[in-house]
Coordinates of all heavy atoms in Angstrom, one line a residue:
A2 N 0.8 -1.2 0.0 CA 0.0 0.0 0.0 C 0.8 1.3 0.0 O 2.0 1.3 0.5 CB -0.9 0.0 1.2
E3 N 0.3 2.3 -0.6 CA 0.9 3.6 -0.5 C 0.1 4.4 0.5 O -1.0 4.1 0.9 CB 0.8 4.3 -1.9 CG 1.8 3.9 -2.9 CD 1.5 2.5 -3.4 OE1 0.3 2.3 -3.8 OE2 2.4 1.6 -3.5
V4 N 0.7 5.6 0.9 CA 0.1 6.5 1.8 C -0.3 7.8 1.0 O 0.6 8.4 0.4 CB 1.0 6.9 3.0 CG1 0.3 7.8 3.9 CG2 1.4 5.6 3.7
I5 N -1.6 8.1 1.0 CA -2.1 9.3 0.3 C -2.5 10.3 1.3 O -3.3 9.9 2.2 CB -3.3 8.9 -0.6 CG1 -3.0 7.7 -1.5 CG2 -3.7 10.1 -1.5 CD1 -4.2 7.0 -2.1
H6 N -1.9 11.5 1.3 CA -2.2 12.4 2.4 C -1.9 13.8 2.0 O -1.2 14.2 1.1 CB -1.3 12.0 3.6 CG 0.2 12.1 3.3 ND1 0.9 13.2 3.6 CD2 1.0 11.3 2.6 CE1 2.2 13.0 3.2 NE2 2.3 11.9 2.6
F7 N -2.5 14.7 2.8 CA -2.1 16.1 2.8 C -0.8 16.2 3.6 O -0.5 15.4 4.4 CB -3.1 17.0 3.6 CG -4.4 17.3 2.8 CD1 -4.6 16.8 1.5 CD2 -5.3 18.2 3.4 CE1 -5.7 17.2 0.8 CE2 -6.5 18.5 2.7 CZ -6.7 18.0 1.4
W8 N 0.0 17.3 3.3 CA 1.2 17.5 4.0 C 1.4 19.0 4.2 O 1.3 19.8 3.3 CB 2.4 16.9 3.2 CG 3.7 16.8 4.0 CD1 4.9 17.4 3.7 CD2 3.9 16.0 5.2 NE1 5.8 17.1 4.7 CE2 5.3 16.2 5.6 CE3 3.1 15.1 5.9 CZ2 5.8 15.6 6.7 CZ3 3.7 14.5 7.0 CH2 5.0 14.7 7.4
H9 N 1.7 19.3 5.5 CA 1.9 20.8 5.8 C 3.3 21.2 5.3 O 4.3 20.7 5.8 CB 1.8 20.9 7.3 CG 1.7 22.4 7.7 ND1 2.1 22.8 8.9 CD2 1.3 23.5 7.0 CE1 1.9 24.1 9.0 NE2 1.4 24.6 7.9
Q10 N 3.3 22.2 4.4 CA 4.5 22.6 3.8 C 4.6 24.1 3.8 O 4.5 24.8 2.7 CB 4.7 22.0 2.4 CG 6.1 22.0 1.9 CD 6.2 21.2 0.6 OE1 5.9 21.6 -0.5 NE2 6.7 20.0 0.7
P11 N 4.7 24.7 5.0 CA 4.7 26.2 5.0 C 6.0 26.8 4.5 O 7.0 26.1 4.5 CB 4.5 26.5 6.5 CG 5.1 25.3 7.2 CD 4.8 24.1 6.3
T12 N 5.9 28.1 4.1 CA 7.1 28.8 3.7 C 7.3 29.9 4.7 O 6.4 30.3 5.4 CB 6.9 29.4 2.3 OG1 5.8 30.3 2.3 CG2 6.6 28.3 1.3
P13 N 8.5 30.5 4.7 CA 8.7 31.6 5.7 C 7.7 32.8 5.5 O 7.4 33.4 6.5 CB 10.2 32.1 5.3 CG 10.8 30.9 4.7 CD 9.7 30.2 4.0
E14 N 7.3 33.0 4.3 CA 6.3 34.1 4.1 C 4.9 33.7 4.2 O 3.9 34.5 4.0 CB 6.5 34.8 2.8 CG 6.3 33.9 1.5 CD 7.6 33.1 1.2 OE1 8.5 33.1 2.0 OE2 7.5 32.4 0.1
S15 N 4.6 32.4 4.5 CA 3.3 31.9 4.6 C 2.5 32.6 5.7 O 2.9 32.7 6.8 CB 3.3 30.4 4.8 OG 2.0 29.9 5.0
Q16 N 1.3 33.0 5.4 CA 0.4 33.6 6.3 C -0.8 32.7 6.6 O -1.8 33.1 7.2 CB -0.1 35.0 5.8 CG 1.0 36.0 5.6 CD 1.7 36.3 6.9 OE1 1.1 36.5 7.9 NE2 3.0 36.3 6.8
A17 N -0.8 31.5 6.1 CA -1.9 30.5 6.3 C -2.1 30.2 7.7 O -1.2 30.1 8.5 CB -1.7 29.3 5.5
N18 N -3.4 29.9 8.0 CA -3.8 29.4 9.4 C -4.7 28.2 9.2 O -4.8 27.7 8.1 CB -4.4 30.5 10.2 CG -5.7 31.1 9.5 OD1 -6.4 30.4 8.9 ND2 -5.9 32.4 9.7
W19 N -5.3 27.8 10.3 CA -6.1 26.5 10.3 C -7.3 26.6 9.4 O -7.9 25.6 9.0 CB -6.5 26.2 11.7 CG -7.5 27.1 12.3 CD1 -7.3 28.2 12.9 CD2 -8.9 26.8 12.4 NE1 -8.5 28.8 13.4 CE2 -9.5 27.9 13.1 CE3 -9.7 25.8 12.0 CZ2 -10.8 28.0 13.4 CZ3 -11.1 25.9 12.3 CH2 -11.6 27.0 12.9
R20 N -7.7 27.9 9.0 CA -8.9 28.0 8.2 C -8.7 28.1 6.7 O -9.6 28.3 5.9 CB -9.7 29.3 8.6 CG -10.1 29.2 10.1 CD -11.0 30.3 10.5 NE -10.3 31.6 10.4 CZ -10.8 32.8 10.8 NH1 -12.1 32.8 11.3 NH2 -10.1 33.9 10.7
N21 N -7.4 28.0 6.3 CA -7.2 27.9 4.8 C -6.0 27.0 4.5 O -5.2 26.7 5.4 CB -6.9 29.3 4.2 CG -5.5 29.8 4.5 OD1 -4.5 29.4 4.0 ND2 -5.5 30.8 5.5
L22 N -5.9 26.5 3.3 CA -5.0 25.4 3.0 C -3.9 25.9 1.9 O -3.5 25.0 1.1 CB -5.8 24.2 2.4 CG -6.7 23.6 3.4 CD1 -7.5 22.5 2.8 CD2 -6.0 23.0 4.6
S23 N -3.5 27.1 1.9 CA -2.6 27.6 1.0 C -1.2 27.0 1.2 O -0.3 27.1 0.3 CB -2.5 29.1 1.0 OG -2.1 29.6 2.3
D24 N -0.9 26.4 2.4 CA 0.4 25.8 2.7 C 0.3 24.3 2.7 O 1.1 23.7 3.5 CB 0.9 26.4 4.0 CG -0.1 26.2 5.2 OD1 -1.2 25.7 4.9 OD2 0.3 26.6 6.3
I25 N -0.6 23.7 1.9 CA -0.8 22.3 1.9 C -0.4 21.7 0.5 O -0.6 22.4 -0.5 CB -2.2 21.9 2.2 CG1 -2.5 22.0 3.7 CG2 -2.6 20.5 1.7 CD1 -1.8 20.9 4.5
V26 N 0.3 20.6 0.5 CA 0.5 19.8 -0.7 C -0.2 18.4 -0.5 O -0.4 18.0 0.6 CB 1.9 19.6 -1.1 CG1 2.6 21.0 -1.4 CG2 2.7 18.9 0.0
I27 N -0.5 17.7 -1.6 CA -0.9 16.4 -1.6 C 0.3 15.5 -2.0 O 1.0 15.8 -2.9 CB -2.1 16.1 -2.5 CG1 -3.3 16.9 -2.2 CG2 -2.4 14.6 -2.5 CD1 -4.4 16.7 -3.1
Q28 N 0.5 14.4 -1.2 CA 1.7 13.5 -1.5 C 1.1 12.1 -1.5 O 0.2 11.7 -0.9 CB 2.7 13.6 -0.4 CG 3.5 14.9 -0.3 CD 4.5 15.0 0.8 OE1 4.5 14.1 1.7 NE2 5.4 15.9 0.7
I29 N 1.8 11.3 -2.3 CA 1.7 9.9 -2.3 C 3.0 9.3 -2.0 O 4.0 9.5 -2.7 CB 1.2 9.3 -3.7 CG1 -0.2 9.9 -4.0 CG2 1.2 7.8 -3.7 CD1 -0.7 9.4 -5.4
R30 N 3.1 8.5 -0.9 CA 4.4 8.0 -0.4 C 4.4 6.5 -0.5 O 3.4 5.8 -0.4 CB 4.6 8.3 1.1 CG 4.8 9.8 1.3 CD 5.3 10.1 2.7 NE 5.3 11.5 3.0 CZ 6.3 12.1 3.7 NH1 7.4 11.3 4.1 NH2 6.3 13.4 3.9
D31 N 5.6 6.0 -0.8 CA 5.8 4.5 -0.8 C 5.6 4.0 0.6 O 6.2 4.5 1.6 CB 7.2 4.2 -1.3 CG 7.5 2.7 -1.4 OD1 7.8 2.1 -0.4 OD2 7.4 2.2 -2.5

């Protein structure tokens, strides 16, 4: 099986908080 998931990937200039997902990527991991 693979793992399909959101991943928190903030940047230094990121202003995102819990109410928006601008600092999220989707990953598929081995």
Side-chain angles (χ1 to χ4, degrees):
E3 284 73 48
V4 181
I5 310 164
H6 62 98
F7 280 5
W8 193 243
H9 191 206
Q10 201 169 79
T12 61
E14 61 275 8
S15 174
Q16 299 298 314
N18 59 35
W19 70 279
R20 297 186 298 185
N21 75 75
L22 297 176
S23 60
D24 54 359
I25 282 292
V26 298
I27 298 178
Q28 293 181 343
I29 297 179
R30 296 192 183 222
D31 183 277

